[in-house]
Amino acid sequence: MGRTTIELHDISKAYGDIVCVKDFTYIFLKNDRIGFVGKNGCGKSTLMKIIAGFIELIRQVEIGQTIKIGYFGQEVDIDPELRVIDYVKEAAEFVRTADGLVSASAMLERFLFPPEQQYSPVGKLSGWRKEKTLSASCTDERTECTDT
């Protein structure tokens, strides 16, 4: 990871009269763990979508060259026939972690999927298990946004 991670400069976003984010500035540092907490409708998802690039603002968000953002939003659509292991492998066969390279299967085990459950179709999973599958598919050394 390079020197620049993510920098937000005077971020503002409104939908009509509803202000979601106003004059927000923050510089994310390497190894930061950030959480957005607030009432429904206060702008948490909007801010995360701005950071992930789904809502574009002119020159107010700087993303470092080596930063990759994984975004797991509330409106997720996964092919229900796809096996859990295949979904994670679509993101990466191997994930670089602090412990070195980890296979997709080993990453799923870290998210409490024993090997026999990794070959289940995603459509058979509970909501909680789907969330875990999505999290496992976007967990590596990149900046991670989770919107649940």
Side-chain angles (χ1 to χ4, degrees), residues 3-4 22 29 31 33 38 44 50 53 57 59 65-66 68-69 80 90 93-95 105 122 129 133 135 140 146 148:
R3 183 170 219 129
T4 302
K22 184 176 180 183
L29 302 175
N31 300 320
R33 299 287 187 241
K44 301 179 301 290
I50 290 169
L57 301 175
R59 291 187 303 252
Q65 290 181 340
T66 60
K68 295 178 185 172
I69 296 177
E90 282 181 0
E93 285 276 343
F94 292 91
V95 177
S105 180
V122 172
R129 283 281 189 204
T133 301
S135 296
D140 62 13
T146 304
T148 56

Side-chain angles (χ1 to χ4, degrees), residues 12 16 21 24 42 59 69 108 113 123 131:
S12 294
V21 182
F24 182 72
C42 74
R59 291 187 303 252
I69 296 177
L108 280 167
F113 280 95
E131 192 173 303

Side-chain angles (χ1 to χ4, degrees), residues 50-63:
I50 290 169
I51 293 168
F54 293 110
I55 298 174
E56 293 188 25
L57 301 175
I58 299 172
R59 291 187 303 252
Q60 294 175 317
V61 178
E62 293 179 41
I63 308 290

Side-chain angles (χ1 to χ4, degrees), residues 48-122:
M48 290 172 53
K49 287 177 182 179
I50 290 169
I51 293 168
F54 293 110
I55 298 174
E56 293 188 25
L57 301 175
I58 299 172
R59 291 187 303 252
Q60 294 175 317
V61 178
E62 293 179 41
I63 308 290
Q65 290 181 340
T66 60
I67 300 298
K68 295 178 185 172
I69 296 177
Y71 177 81
F72 166 42
Q74 295 174 3
E75 55 287 315
V76 176
D77 185 28
I78 304 175
D79 177 359
E81 300 301 317
L82 194 61
R83 296 181 309 172
V84 171
I85 187 72
D86 295 329
Y87 180 79
V88 174
K89 284 182 175 180
E90 282 181 0
E93 285 276 343
F94 292 91
V95 177
R96 184 171 305 284
T97 69
D99 300 329
L101 285 178
V102 175
S103 70
S105 180
M107 182 58 72
L108 280 167
E109 286 187 52
R110 290 181 178 193
F111 281 82
L112 306 178
F113 280 95
E116 60 275 7
Q117 287 185 353
Q118 296 177 15
Y119 291 88
S120 299
V122 172

